[in-house]
Amino acid sequence: MEIRLLGPEDAAAFSKVRLEGLQKDPDAFGALYEEEIKRTDAEWKERLSNAHTGDSGFFGAFVEGEIVGIIGFFRNRGTKVRHKVSVVSMYVSEAHRGTGIAAGLMQEEISYLKKLGDVDQVQLAVVTSNPAAVRFYEKMGFLPYGFEKKALKIGDRYVDETHMYMMINE
């Protein structure tokens, strides 16, 4: 397994696994498959072109050259909140779950964020309808700090989220 920061050259592979995640686990993401599939190749490349700035980026996990998992981050831009980063878009293909890939992705991203030197807090939101994901984030060291009722609306139904955080560089 190889885990690395993705660049524009990975756009086709990234979009494939991102769209798979949106189709297979639609409740877990704030985006809709029907919206994301409309992105152009240029938009997918643009999404992966800012990783060198430390403001946003995605890591990919590769097995035998094929991307099987992703995790992203977005940094708050304001001066008073730049010390916080949000983890987003965590997904591992079903065939590779339970193999340590999710933990590897999270560890690689946290390591990268620590090396930036000015990130103190990592946050995420996880749907409460996925207790396995909540347990995973707890095992990784995240603590709950809030609950959001009706965080996502999917058609006529709502999904709640638990908000979690981890302090780093302390």
Side-chain angles (χ1 to χ4, degrees), residues 114-157:
K114 284 181 178 180
K115 288 177 188 170
L116 293 176
D118 60 350
V119 174
D120 298 319
Q121 187 176 146
V122 180
Q123 302 175 334
L124 59 83
V126 57
V127 293
T128 59
S129 57
N130 188 344
V134 174
R135 284 192 306 275
F136 167 75
Y137 293 126
E138 289 172 342
K139 282 178 22 178
M140 295 302 299
F142 285 85
L143 301 169
Y145 72 88
F147 172 81
E148 185 176 358
K149 186 85 176 151
K150 296 184 176 183
L152 302 174
K153 185 175 182 181
I154 305 164
D156 291 336
R157 64 185 181 83

Side-chain angles (χ1 to χ4, degrees), residues 59-118:
F59 286 85
F62 295 82
V63 173
E64 297 178 8
E66 180 184 348
I67 192 167
V68 297
I70 57 172
I71 188 171
F73 66 92
F74 288 96
R75 186 176 205 164
N76 292 290
R77 294 183 183 257
T79 302
K80 291 182 176 182
V81 292
R82 282 191 56 75
H83 66 287
K84 296 189 283 187
V85 172
S86 295
V87 171
V88 296
S89 304
M90 166 70 95
Y91 177 75
V92 174
S93 64
E94 290 176 348
H96 292 89
R97 291 181 187 170
T99 63
I101 288 175
L105 282 164
M106 182 64 77
Q107 289 165 351
E108 189 69 27
E109 184 160 283
I110 297 296
S111 176
Y112 173 84
L113 295 172
K114 284 181 178 180
K115 288 177 188 170
L116 293 176
D118 60 350

